[in-house]
């Protein structure tokens, strides 16, 4: 087993890793940049080492000082958290070369899943559904027609050189195809000087739904159900929940099985996530990518399954077998997480720095707070804006939503603007209550607000 | 931007705290440039708008956790040059376990004289003196882990 | 249903009641003495009213101002919390007279269970086991011998006028009885001028184990398993856990059934607790008393059952039926609560006042904090010393204990001395780890310490 | 007892804050006695040891939440006598819904003149003026809930 774990990260995830390690009886080493000397994770680590100046490239991304810190403190394992070095196969290999256990999957799995094209090809081979479409540039209208009939309408035609919606046409049925094809080709030629277009299935009412998986070094892989992460602002998740309010039990089971198949196909031996895009109309789902790390939103899965994902991730990295079989993993109730960022929703979510002159976290039943800050802490201007994750559990989704409203109302942060008021709006929005919200929810409600202000 | 969240005073403090020699902030397009002891470091994703421009320079010190109890700028002492660890590793006072230390307290050193070794990743990094003077203090223990920026020696330069 | 609830209490329980009410969509009114103007519950209540100066008799125990506050704010219900007016039948009746729903049992149940002698008699009639012994003064040695044989040894003979161990003899078997009887009678005569003695079963390796019950106004009563509250210092509980580490499933089921019988016999229609003394040798248990209120340690039951006791207590007071049948109430894992008091364990647990110059609460998975204070808060010198309850959950008792250690280590309170260091000692003590600790555990480890210091 | 936890300064602040007229603390046996406007109140369970004895008197004011914005002791105003609510209830300016108010701002009042009613538990509690003077301010709205200690009137006493 691991005796001493170096945490190569900062903020709330460094605190989370320290918590898991302590509960496993493992000593912890924190590493910090000069800007993080007063951070909570430094206070909570058994031991800590300054590894460089504030810039990421000179501290949290600088292998040499991190590995030297591990060696000189006698650490025998490194947890990379998320971001930073978490999905860096070379770093994982460097750890191996120094006999340090890297808490993550084998480097080959990181490499295979790290390249989108490779990942998509491998998944197709493994029988995992990906968004259907032309392999490359469409040769002709006839080819488009054959393919569209095969995939099923609606489809979308896009310029291969394109972006920003130019050279793009959504095609609702076969009658629209000819006009749309020619219009897209002409527009692509005009806009990009390249008339190449491709065709793929158009996803209606899209949702971002991901499956948590966990594998060990003995070939076992299980899934721990899904998370619905469709509430995003510019691809940044703001709120995640489990279970997804729209999945049928049949779809949930199918997604879980497919995710396990996907993970098995790369001999996945750690905690990871298979991301799918889900079509709210057809109820089909398609592989998008795999994240070969623990994720920010892992607590919602922990709340409904009672499983400590961080502890399992560490234990399987140390060579232990998964303690539970698939059928022993049960879920209960509903969990929702809000990411409380130091950002001003009134000013385009501008990141804020400042000192937390007051910081009162919510408590009571069904409330979990994973925070990297504390009262009086000065937020350094060098890193990301995540202050805390507020996670609630309730027996039903309605219970969880009411609890989340109450907990958000209790969360008092003074000294910097935060996303709390924005989350308060989300959780009181009728569309959120219905649960069928799609990935453009935040964009739409932000637009509503602008429209209402005019 | 709220004045209370990021004012010039605060920026000046950061400058001092992180040994920055230059800091540029622009509002339009959210550009931040920080310079530190000649090494440029850009943070394109960081946005700190609201102050039109702030350019300042300061010369601060980095005080490691492990040496919080050490006297610093005591009024009865002459100005001492601090030699800090440029990397994380294990501090050795001698080139080999059975060899004599490179230097002792009270020794005279010239520029580029070897002071110690910091071992990291099996590589022995020799640390040389950046100044001429008398070694007044050896601040790390042989075999100890030293962290980035930790003071290793204090050298009195001839006045 | 209730629309507006006045909380006739302070501190963490006032916050707890407000949380439950908000999650039920009920408005809240806080009432506070002049010393509690800055309290957290005042901040969290939708509305609040000052009801008097700091002395309890002039504020939190002063019916008139509390009832006037309810009437003038339009509240339709009052929650008394624990302590204060919680087990005051006259107050409950005063609420009824003003058409205010009292969140607690019917006044008759409070009265019956409030008087120890009445309660014991009623329980005997209902077939609930009480500590067996002589009805009054023993008439003769022969009577003692008959009774002791019936009860079973060991027994204890005590002076009816006595106290402090004088006139008391523990009798291990029949051979010791004669000498012990005469010694006790003589000693009683000398010490109290009254030779009367009585006899009862001597409880070996005693544990304080209580069963949580919940009844509604439609005659349903369920239990929610036990709590082991044997870690006490001068009858003040310091740590509670569920399930008890020593009960067999058979005993647990028997205690649950008996507790339901006890509650039914007084037509109990709220949340309440049946306290038993448990004999660690014979594995027998005996009724001691019933608490007709929600208790400080209710969160440990909430953690293992997923049931929100405060919400249920409010809902049944409003006339709703219990939503779950006995067989639907399931438990999972293990929960432990520590009472974090502003008391200095180094100075005989002297209550402390002062300002919380730092207050960092633990977080992460399986950790719940119910607190009535916040960073920068000045603890008033007029009330009890409970700052917060730290409650942890783990899949097994071992997981929970490790998590508790980690959470206690994370809990940073500066400005006043607290019981945290003492709790840290308890949770690392081998006897606590074994789980068979008895009600004299704290007294013994405190004595150990004194002995070691000599 | 730690000096930082409960010092004399702190006790004096409590005295002032809660209108206490007397406070006795003893160490042996942990006795605390508080007196407030002539009403004794004992807290036998409260223990505040460490200070051998502290007896002090102060005359503070109680400022209710609802009237935080009101001017208090403004330098350009004469000294005003504050009449506070002695109980929680509903504030009425007149003896009956259709009756004229007991007083208006600017009225002269004598000691024991009726000022208002505070209704609690269906009982109409008449509040009388404790001083002679001119009513300068009526601080509560007719029909509003008043809390304990809330300022109801400010009366200017003849100097």
């Amino acid at each position: 087993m691991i005796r001493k774990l170096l945490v190569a990260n900062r903020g709330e995830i460094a605190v989370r890793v320290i918590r898991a390690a302590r509960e496993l009886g493992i000593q912890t080493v924190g590493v910090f940049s000069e800007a993080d000397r007063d951070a909570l994770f430094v206070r909570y680590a058994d031991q800590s080492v300054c590894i460089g100046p504030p810039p990421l490239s000179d501290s949290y991304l600088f292998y040499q000082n991190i590995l030297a810190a591990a060696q000189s403190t006698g650490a025998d394992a490194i947890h990379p958290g998320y971001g930073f070095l978490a999905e860096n196969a070379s770093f994982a290999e460097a750890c191996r070369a120094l006999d340090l256990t890297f808490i993550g999957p084998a480097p080959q799995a990181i490499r295979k899943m790290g390249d989108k094209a490779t990942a998509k090809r491998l998944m197709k081979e493994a029988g995992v559904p990906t968004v259907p479409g032309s392999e490359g540039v469409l040769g002709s209208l006839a080819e488009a027609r054959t393919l569209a009939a095969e995939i099923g309408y609606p489809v979308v035609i896009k310029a291969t050189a394109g972006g920003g919606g130019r050279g793009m046409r959504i095609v609702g049925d076969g009658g629209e195809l000819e006009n749309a094809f020619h219009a897209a080709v002409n527009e692509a030629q005009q806009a990009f000087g390249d008339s190449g277009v491709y065709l793929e299935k158009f996803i209606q009412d899209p949702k971002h739904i991901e499956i948590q998986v966990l594998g060990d070094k003995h070939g076992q892989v299980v899934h721990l159900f899904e998370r619905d992460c469709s509430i995003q602002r510019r691809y940044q998740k703001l709120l995640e929940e489990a279970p997804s309010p729209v999945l049928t039990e049949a779809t949930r089971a199918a997604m879980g099985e497919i995710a396990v198949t996907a993970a098995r196909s790369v001999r996945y031996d750690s905690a990871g996530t298979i991301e799918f895009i889900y079509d709210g109309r057809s109820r089909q789902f398609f592989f998008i990518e795999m994240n070969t790390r623990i994720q920010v939103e892992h607590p919602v899965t922990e709340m409904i399954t009672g499983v400590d994902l961080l502890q399992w991730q560490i234990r399987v990295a140390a060579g232990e077998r998964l303690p539970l079989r698939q059928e022993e993993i049960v879920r209960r109730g509903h969990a929702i997480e809000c990411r409380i960022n130091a950002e001003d929703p009134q000013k385009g979510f501008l990141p804020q720095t400042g000192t937390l002159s007051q910081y009162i976290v919510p408590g009571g039943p069904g409330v979990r707070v994973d925070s990297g800050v504390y009262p009086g802490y000065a937020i350094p201007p060098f890193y990301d804006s995540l202050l805390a994750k507020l996670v609630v559990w309730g027996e039903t989704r309605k219970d969880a939503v009411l609890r989340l409203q109450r907990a958000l109302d209790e969360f008092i942060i003074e000294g910097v603007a935060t996303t709390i008021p924005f989350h308060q709006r989300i959780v009181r929005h009728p569309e959120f209550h219905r649960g069928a919200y799609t990935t453009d929810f935040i964009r739409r409600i932000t637009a509503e607000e602008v429209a209402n202000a005019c | 931007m709220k004045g209370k969240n990021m004012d010039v005073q605060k920026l000046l403090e950061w400058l001092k705290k992180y040994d920055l020699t230059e800091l540029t902030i622009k509002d339009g397009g959210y550009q931040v440039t920080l310079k530190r002891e000649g090494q440029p470091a850009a943070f394109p994703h960081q946005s700190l708008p609201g102050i039109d421009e702030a350019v300042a320079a300061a010369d601060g010190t980095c005080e490691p956790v492990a040496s919080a109890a050490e006297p610093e700028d005591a009024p009865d002492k002459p100005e001492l040059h601090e030699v800090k660890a440029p990397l994380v590793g294990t501090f050795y006072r001698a080139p080999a376990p059975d060899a004599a230390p490179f230097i002792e307290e009270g020794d005279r050193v010239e520029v580029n004289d070897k002071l110690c070794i910091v071992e990291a990743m099996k590589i022995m990094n020799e640390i040389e003196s950046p100044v001429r003077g008398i070694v007044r203090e050896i601040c790390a223990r042989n075999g100890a882990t030293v962290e980035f920026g930790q003071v290793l020696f204090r050298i009195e330069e001839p006045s």
Side-chain angles (χ1 to χ4, degrees), chain A, chain B:
Chain A
M1 191 53 189
I2 293 159
R3 287 168 296 104
K4 201 180 217 182
L5 176 66
L6 181 139
V7 186
N9 215 303
R10 62 178 303 283
E12 70 84 20
I13 193 63
V15 173
R16 176 70 188 91
V17 174
I18 290 168
R19 285 176 172 150
R22 297 197 84 153
E23 292 178 7
L24 291 169
I26 298 171
Q27 291 282 304
T28 53
V29 180
V31 294
F32 60 96
S33 81
E34 289 176 318
D36 276 337
R37 200 172 284 284
D38 299 327
L40 189 62
F41 73 92
V42 174
R43 197 157 182 171
Y44 280 166
D46 293 306
Q47 186 179 359
S48 57
V49 179
C50 179
I51 50 161
L56 289 179
S57 54
D58 299 337
S59 51
Y60 296 108
L61 296 178
F62 189 46
Y63 292 17
Q64 183 189 304
N65 277 355
I66 293 169
L67 295 170
Q71 291 204 300
S72 57
T73 55
D76 50 7
I78 295 189
H79 197 300
Y82 51 66
F84 294 176
L85 299 168
E87 291 173 286
N88 183 319
S90 314
F91 180 71
E93 279 163 353
C95 289
R96 284 199 167 187
L98 295 168
D99 275 333
L100 293 163
T101 302
F102 175 78
I103 312 291
Q108 55 83 13
I110 300 177
R111 282 229 163 75
K112 282 177 182 166
M113 287 303 193
D115 180 65
K116 272 208 164 191
T118 308
K120 193 169 175 179
R121 181 176 55 73
L122 288 171
M123 289 306 105
K124 272 188 176 171
E125 287 169 17
V128 174
T130 57
V131 179
S134 54
E135 288 295 323
V137 175
L138 280 174
S140 64
L141 173 61
E143 191 186 330
R145 194 174 299 281
T146 311
L147 193 59
E150 200 180 301
I151 293 170
Y153 289 92
V155 296
V156 58
I157 300 172
K158 288 178 183 170
T160 48
R166 283 181 299 175
M168 190 178 109
R169 286 293 182 283
I170 296 160
V171 190
D173 58 58
E176 297 173 11
L177 187 69
E178 182 166 353
N179 284 345
F181 178 78
H182 294 305
V185 167
N186 289 340
E187 205 169 293
Q189 178 64 39
Q190 280 174 16
F192 312 110
D194 175 352
S195 64
V197 295
Y198 68 99
L199 179 148
E200 63 178 24
K201 180 156 186 69
F202 178 70
I203 308 297
Q204 298 177 91
D205 298 341
K207 264 185 173 284
H208 171 131
I209 295 181
E210 60 190 29
I211 303 282
Q212 176 70 51
V213 295
L214 191 69
D216 66 18
K217 292 183 194 298
H218 308 276
Q220 291 182 85
V221 181
V222 295
H223 73 84
L224 293 99
F225 311 105
E226 82 282 8
R227 295 185 287 260
D228 189 328
C229 310
S230 307
I231 298 206
Q232 306 183 348
R233 186 188 160 275
R234 296 186 184 169
Y235 302 105
Q236 294 287 324
K237 296 167 188 167
L238 275 171
L239 180 151
E240 303 96 356
E241 65 179 310
S244 167
V246 299
L247 288 197
T248 61
E249 279 304 323
T251 308
R252 173 170 297 119
M255 287 179 92
E257 269 177 51
I258 288 287
V260 169
T261 302
R264 266 191 216 288
S265 75
V266 292
R267 278 183 282 163
Y268 200 75
D269 61 354
S270 183
T273 301
I274 316 284
E275 283 189 16
F276 294 100
I277 189 160
Y278 173 84
D279 187 312
R281 298 277 177 87
S282 70
R283 298 193 171 171
Q284 289 175 293
F285 54 92
F286 307 102
F287 172 87
I288 296 296
E289 65 172 325
M290 179 171 191
N291 299 316
T292 58
R293 59 168 193 267
I294 195 77
Q295 281 189 277
V296 178
E297 62 270 27
H298 74 274
V300 295
T301 301
E302 295 183 323
M303 296 289 267
I304 61 163
T305 60
V307 167
D308 191 310
L309 281 170
L310 257 294
Q311 287 193 17
W312 281 32
Q313 190 194 25
I314 294 169
R315 291 169 66 175
V316 296
E320 279 190 53
R321 286 176 182 278
L322 287 182
L324 292 176
R325 291 189 308 276
Q326 185 66 59
E327 60 273 24
E328 292 171 316
I329 301 168
V330 290
R331 63 193 165 85
R332 177 172 174 181
H334 199 97
I336 314 176
E337 171 182 284
C338 286
R339 300 192 190 189
I340 312 300
N341 297 329
E343 295 172 3
D344 191 344
Q346 300 257 298
K347 294 179 183 166
F349 292 83
L350 265 184
Q352 307 284 303
T353 58
T355 297
L356 301 177
S357 52
Q358 185 52 285
Y359 187 71
I360 305 178
V361 295
V367 171
R368 165 177 172 182
V369 179
D370 279 41
S371 171
V373 301
Y374 56 83
Y377 178 68
I379 303 161
F382 306 106
Y383 310 111
D384 76 88
S385 59
L386 182 62
L387 296 179
K389 300 183 308 202
L390 168 60
V391 198
V392 299
W393 178 90
E395 191 71 55
T396 64
R397 183 170 192 266
K398 190 184 162 214
D399 291 339
V401 170
L402 287 166
R403 182 160 283 163
L404 180 57
Q405 288 180 3
R406 173 291 268 180
L408 284 166
D409 292 348
E410 279 182 14
F411 211 148
I412 298 171
I413 301 179
E414 291 165 10
V416 293
T418 73
T419 46
I420 291 172
F422 194 72
H423 280 111
Q424 287 171 320
R425 277 188 55 207
I426 294 173
V427 299
R428 285 175 169 86
H429 198 285
E431 192 168 328
F432 176 72
H433 281 251
R434 283 194 299 273
Y437 55 82
T438 54
T439 49
D440 63 347
F441 175 65
I442 297 298
R443 192 181 51 68
R444 283 189 293 104
I445 71 166
T446 313
E448 262 171 38
E449 183 182 59
V450 173
N452 292 343
C454 291
Chain B
M1 171 171 224
K2 292 178 181 177
K4 68 171 177 173
N5 288 335
M6 177 54 72
D7 55 12
V8 177
Q9 176 84 37
K10 192 81 200 165
L11 290 171
L12 287 172
E13 281 168 22
W14 282 110
L15 271 174
K16 185 160 162 58
K17 195 164 176 186
Y18 301 113
D19 263 341
L20 301 177
T21 54
E22 193 182 318
L23 179 139
T24 319
I25 290 180
K26 284 195 178 157
D27 199 359
Y30 307 150
Q31 176 199 333
V32 175
T33 317
L34 303 173
K35 284 192 186 173
R36 189 173 181 283
E37 300 179 329
Q39 295 177 308
F43 295 90
H45 301 297
Q46 191 66 33
S47 56
L48 298 167
I51 294 177
D52 290 329
E53 205 178 343
V55 178
D59 185 54
T61 56
C62 163
E63 197 184 2
V65 169
S67 59
E70 287 172 21
E72 195 192 3
D73 298 327
D76 57 337
K77 278 193 176 182
E79 196 68 31
L80 296 181
H81 185 97
E82 292 182 339
V83 181
K84 295 175 184 175
L87 77 172
V88 179
T90 308
F91 176 82
Y92 293 115
R93 290 189 50 204
D98 51 355
F102 291 108
I103 50 147
E104 296 286 356
E105 289 183 359
D107 284 0
R108 244 169 228 292
V109 289
E110 296 295 323
V111 173
N112 294 345
D113 273 4
K114 285 164 192 163
L115 297 176
C116 68
I117 282 170
V118 175
E119 183 197 348
M121 318 299 294
K122 315 279 179 207
I123 294 167
M124 301 293 168
N125 301 279
E126 293 180 340
I127 309 297
E128 300 175 349
S129 180
V131 295
R132 189 168 77 89
I134 297 165
V135 177
R136 287 298 178 204
E137 209 179 331
I138 301 172
C139 312
R141 198 169 37 76
N142 193 53
T145 298
V146 292
E147 57 186 359
F148 176 84
Q150 183 172 338
V151 176
L152 304 177
F153 303 95
R154 288 199 173 83
I155 298 175
E156 183 181 342
E157 294 179 82
S159 49

